[in-house]
Amino acid sequence: MILYPLTYERIVRRALEEDLGLAGDLTTNAIVGDDVRATARIVARAAGRIAGVEVAASAFRLLDPRLVVTVHVVDGCDVEAGSTVADVTGPARALLSAERVALNFLGHLSGIATTTRGIVEAVRGSGAHVVCTRKTTPNLRALEKHAVRMGGGMNHRFGLDDAVLVKDNHVAIAGGIGAAVSRVRVAVGHMVRVEVEVETLAQLDEVLALGVDVVLLDNMTTDELRLAVATVNGRAVTEASGGIRPDTAPAIAATGVDLLSVGWITHSAPTLDVALDVDAPPGSG
Amino acid sequence: MILYPLTYERIVRRALEEDLGLAGDLTTNAIVGDDVRATARIVARAAGRIAGVEVAASAFRLLDPRLVVTVHVVDGCDVEAGSTVADVTGPARALLSAERVALNFLGHLSGIATTTRGIVEAVRGSGAHVVCTRKTTPNLRALEKHAVRMGGGMNHRFGLDDAVLVKDNHVAIAGGIGAAVSRVRVAVGHMVRVEVEVETLAQLDEVLALGVDVVLLDNMTTDELRLAVATVNGRAVTEASGGIRPDTAPAIAATGVDLLSVGWITHSAPTLDVALDVDAPPGSG
Amino acid sequence: MILYPLTYERIVRRALEEDLGLAGDLTTNAIVGDDVRATARIVARAAGRIAGVEVAASAFRLLDPRLVVTVHVVDGCDVEAGSTVADVTGPARALLSAERVALNFLGHLSGIATTTRGIVEAVRGSGAHVVCTRKTTPNLRALEKHAVRMGGGMNHRFGLDDAVLVKDNHVAIAGGIGAAVSRVRVAVGHMVRVEVEVETLAQLDEVLALGVDVVLLDNMTTDELRLAVATVNGRAVTEASGGIRPDTAPAIAATGVDLLSVGWITHSAPTLDVALDVDAPPGSG
Amino acid sequence: MILYPLTYERIVRRALEEDLGLAGDLTTNAIVGDDVRATARIVARAAGRIAGVEVAASAFRLLDPRLVVTVHVVDGCDVEAGSTVADVTGPARALLSAERVALNFLGHLSGIATTTRGIVEAVRGSGAHVVCTRKTTPNLRALEKHAVRMGGGMNHRFGLDDAVLVKDNHVAIAGGIGAAVSRVRVAVGHMVRVEVEVETLAQLDEVLALGVDVVLLDNMTTDELRLAVATVNGRAVTEASGGIRPDTAPAIAATGVDLLSVGWITHSAPTLDVALDVDAPPGSG
Amino acid sequence: MILYPLTYERIVRRALEEDLGLAGDLTTNAIVGDDVRATARIVARAAGRIAGVEVAASAFRLLDPRLVVTVHVVDGCDVEAGSTVADVTGPARALLSAERVALNFLGHLSGIATTTRGIVEAVRGSGAHVVCTRKTTPNLRALEKHAVRMGGGMNHRFGLDDAVLVKDNHVAIAGGIGAAVSRVRVAVGHMVRVEVEVETLAQLDEVLALGVDVVLLDNMTTDELRLAVATVNGRAVTEASGGIRPDTAPAIAATGVDLLSVGWITHSAPTLDVALDVDAPPGSG
Amino acid sequence: MILYPLTYERIVRRALEEDLGLAGDLTTNAIVGDDVRATARIVARAAGRIAGVEVAASAFRLLDPRLVVTVHVVDGCDVEAGSTVADVTGPARALLSAERVALNFLGHLSGIATTTRGIVEAVRGSGAHVVCTRKTTPNLRALEKHAVRMGGGMNHRFGLDDAVLVKDNHVAIAGGIGAAVSRVRVAVGHMVRVEVEVETLAQLDEVLALGVDVVLLDNMTTDELRLAVATVNGRAVTEASGGIRPDTAPAIAATGVDLLSVGWITHSAPTLDVALDVDAPPGSG
């Protein structure tokens, strides 16, 4: 996946409007003259994995196209605490007025990338991949899915529209997992993959017989997962889900499942601490 | 503050479009007939403080006005794990298709309310209030500020436009804290409060002499805070900031500061685990 | 797929604004009094397959919620010339002012459904399905894909984002079909199907060895298609494309391909002739 | 009329978003490196009249401003099959990702221009002009009216708001054609032209006596048209309508009517076949 | 012309958002309980002509659909100072929060209607009509043109797109008034009226010979106007413009011109003083 | 306050679309060739204070980025009648088509600045400041508040969200001014100023005892105002309101109040007469 300016600039523009309101930056406009120029560095206060640096850069450029942003750390790279991620130089007013919006994007997305990296590293060597879910922040999904990728994770569905995932509520309404999957087989086009959530080995046999691409093994113990993986035996991709965290992930990955589905990397990742340091003007002291 | 449907419905509508894409809910539409009705309960899987239940309810109603949502727990109330927050009944297709969007809002906002409540309780009895910052998720600020209130916190500025906050970068560009505050005094209207970030006691004396409404005491030790509070001596509201968490909050609150500014309650609050349980249809099982 | 009012009402509202401009319906407002009521029938002037009747109905309701539309023919049904598709009754001004927008949607979408039906019937009995393409009218894709379904066709990709389709230009840039498919295999998630366009049998062998879900057989003769189907031998879904029309479709379907991809049903379908007949008021005539 | 970028860029941007969805161009981003550049030609596969080349060009530039589009055939010119309409050069990813949107606009609008040209040529020498209707694709009216002009046709009303056209439904509700036109005469401003649809010669006399600018002669035989033209005798512009196609147009034009109103050129014009050919990279092949 | 809710509700919704910002009505939400109901009257503090009462009413309903607005004075009616224009009853919070937006629309539009009425009355008996211009408030044109009608005036062009008006700058660039009008005659469709601004009697002869619908007599003395009207002698509609105010209007109208074009009624009309009086709650005193 | 292009360009773009409609500038496109260039001057026809020149300039640039606008008089400067405010040079078509939109913004905002200046000068020397209200044109508030500043006035609240103003209707519902202010004191955050409208000296004592930042003295006589100022005695900012005009302002200012609140400068300011003069092309004459 790639983030298009077409996509994120609209979101960033709205965020700038949210922060500026009708009256604009009262503080900066009172203190900083219209002709003052400044240079600042976007600095990571903590170590982590960077994501969203171009999104953050666009906040400065959209507020004032004369602001020049030089990116030093591109998305997907790790930084130490104290590292400079980017420089910004130009009109001081716009530089300060766009600061918080830029940092909110960068901190949020880098937080997701850093959290994802933590899980990915915890299962390194197991062969299992970490995938995200649709438990994302409303209206930031494309950006957050990108951050997951930058953290080394993979993307699951982007929405209800790009693949089928039959879950317990569908099964309850259909009156059985076989009925549910059969209806999907009839209705869904040739370009759509089908995943089914199973809770028991009996269900697993039933859906494998119907032919599905992926089975979601929800809230199973590691013993159950191991048995499920053996039962599937390559006939479908296997995906484990349910409360996976860095401490529980290695044992789950060791069961042989192909994928670990982790909602937590998008819905609960703490921000990465990033800040803007304005260079002292020459002669100041 | 109050959340107006005028404000949040536009955000919820966009989130529904984000999740549905062009093709809509492939899974549900394949499995669930157009005339099937269902009833479901929105359940808190963990204990916490609820916020955003009306926002979540609007997701169902906006997708299909025939869905009837009955709210059992209003914003600002605490729930035990397993509690039913609301019921939804009506066309099963729309009920399932709106589920994730509704839960994403409810979990996110209740997570903020619950996290805020944790800090508020940690400082109970100290007289200090917990306030939020502008470190919010882009384009969800009005909703997140509401969630902070529901958690027992207070709101700081909603944007750059509703009050003045002179920070270190402004001081650096102005060439001194006195110069910065003096310019603000001239420029800012009679309906605007002025807060100034100070890092030393010398700065504190300088700004108090100039007359400010609030002083932000950034990254001070508890000893420094105590001294600052004594220096201010009621001439301004005092606000402490800098890495405040539940474990450090009580000691900071005990210094006598009026306010604890905590970015963490909006930018890093984990979600509250909420889910939708569809009632089994009669005769199923 | 299902058409959500959430999706199409925004499009219909914009179309009403397009037709009304700033001054509104000069003719109707001059001639028809504010309190005049009327009843009208939406009539198919030609035989065909109906699609978009709810979209058309929404044009009336969005202009004036007091207009009551009673649908007699739902999407996916065939009508004879002269059939009444729906009745509209209520304030005469809004009824006349929304007429053209409503008919433009209904005629356009029914035209696509009718044209699709023509191809579907031409290949009936062959086992091949008719699928549409991304050659749709800008900003009407969700509606047109729905109309294809109503005509008995199936939907291919809804956009660049929901499946992979490797085409000649990708192969040219990758420097070979094998290189192109290999890169896809690495990059694409487990929920995404992969289709590859092949132009020769040699390419076909190469991509089947790499494992793809669907092969697009572009501009092949029926002999080549037959050979390709035999080569694939069930290892992938086969899809023929290239200038398929009602007269050429049966022979192509007879080659044994699974799918016929037809851009013509969306980009060149003539409208279905539909009109609005206002009932003469009592006593007139 | 002129197409302003202000008008069409918003439509093109939306069309790009429609095609890219949240995940973007999965295929291209997997296969084509971020730093690959390419050159491509937009080629007409069939002969026709070009319209919309600047609209198509904007699709490339809006997705990536580094894409350079060189237009070789401007709107209103004829091309042979195989002609290059424009070149595009720059980043290969954006070039491929914008391809379908650009071609959808160019093919659709050139199809309308080509179809219009066909009718215009069929009546050449008769003195009659071909005019379009409001039977246009929702939300593309400004673009389609432009395409009609590029095909040699003239534009009728752009909406309900820029001129009066009294039709049968208005007459039915007013209780007579004289009553309808009289009300218009009173209500409508001095800058608005008035056209009235007449179905009989008696109606024609009545409306000419009331003074109208244009008479619409709907579904008349050529004999009736000839008689109507003689009756009007220069007192109004005459416009024939009703199922006019290339084969019937010459006879109708020969009756002496001033205008032929043809809905078919916008609502049923087949697309012009246009494609994008990427130049093989140096050394490939 | 008619004002469609489709048109004005979008403008009103945006105005509510403009006034509420992110934090909403701080004052009302602090003071007025969620369950308090109130009744209020919209009162004209000065005599005038009402316009925009439905627009104002929509501000209340859009903020809270439970607010019931009863309109006592419809658009186009005159009121004495102290008259009640409408009642509003329902939740007190929304009633107070929507007050200013509702009054801003009502006062602005009624101000235009009242000012227009003043000019219309000044020329009553002369046979001349008062028409407005395109000198309207940006993005409120449809509403302001409606207010002019409610004041007894007529509408001129709604935009650059619905009629031709050749002005001095066009003539300067064309190199002469004859050249300008000739080009228009060729280019413009049969449904478009043509008006030409003339500054001398020589120009008047020239354009009448070319055939135009309306002549705009700009900044002429009453003697010149009288001569121009005699020269035109019914061959075109005559329109006077240039600094027309209530005191100068009668003399200009007496010259026999058909229309008086007055920019002042839209660009400089003072507001009509309107206010909201909340009824004292029972028992208060 | 500062006007950000981010804010006003969206408004200007919408105003251009409002004026151009679907068909664009029929007159200019018929008369002026695509390759004609022109130079024009924006001229003040009357003396006044300029505001909005950058907003006006953006109208030209947004319609055609090749138009070069050179500003000679920046916002906040005074001009004599006949002064050139800015030059515009470039493609003649876009120059003429953007003219009216540009002038509508410039005339409206300069009208507000000029009117504000009139009041400001009338009270010069008194020490009182002129402040505006929320009685602004819907959706132009940020621009109009800027114009007030350019006229030498100060801004009051930008919306309901940035400060508290307790008015008579709040007091009526709360059941007393003390109850109203007490509720505000509890509910409102530390960054929000509180103003209270008082009508009697008794109320004044009550609210001063409760501690408020500003008192609004509504519709008091100059004697009452003088007494109120003496009563307040520096404990709060004093603001007079109610029908203040240039003729009444000096006496009110002489009472010693700090602020004069004048709705009239935004809701009833007449436009400043500005025009566009196209330079005659070389050789024309």
Side-chain angles (χ1 to χ4, degrees), chain B residues 1-7 10 141-143 149 158-159 161-162, chain E residues 13 16-17 20-26 29 34 62-63 93 97:
Chain B
M1 191 193 59
I2 264 200
L3 278 183
Y4 302 92
L6 194 82
T7 301
R10 208 179 36 174
R141 186 170 289 167
L143 279 65
R149 288 283 293 269
F158 274 73
D161 60 325
D162 57 349
Chain E
R13 196 174 280 118
L16 287 166
E17 293 169 350
L20 291 168
L22 293 181
D25 186 345
L26 297 177
N29 295 337
D34 188 29
L62 287 169
L63 190 60
R93 275 190 176 172
S97 297

Side-chain angles (χ1 to χ4, degrees), chain E residues 47 86 104 125 132 177 191 195 242 268:
Chain E
N104 282 353
C132 57
I177 201 164
M191 293 304 281
E195 177 166 5
S268 297

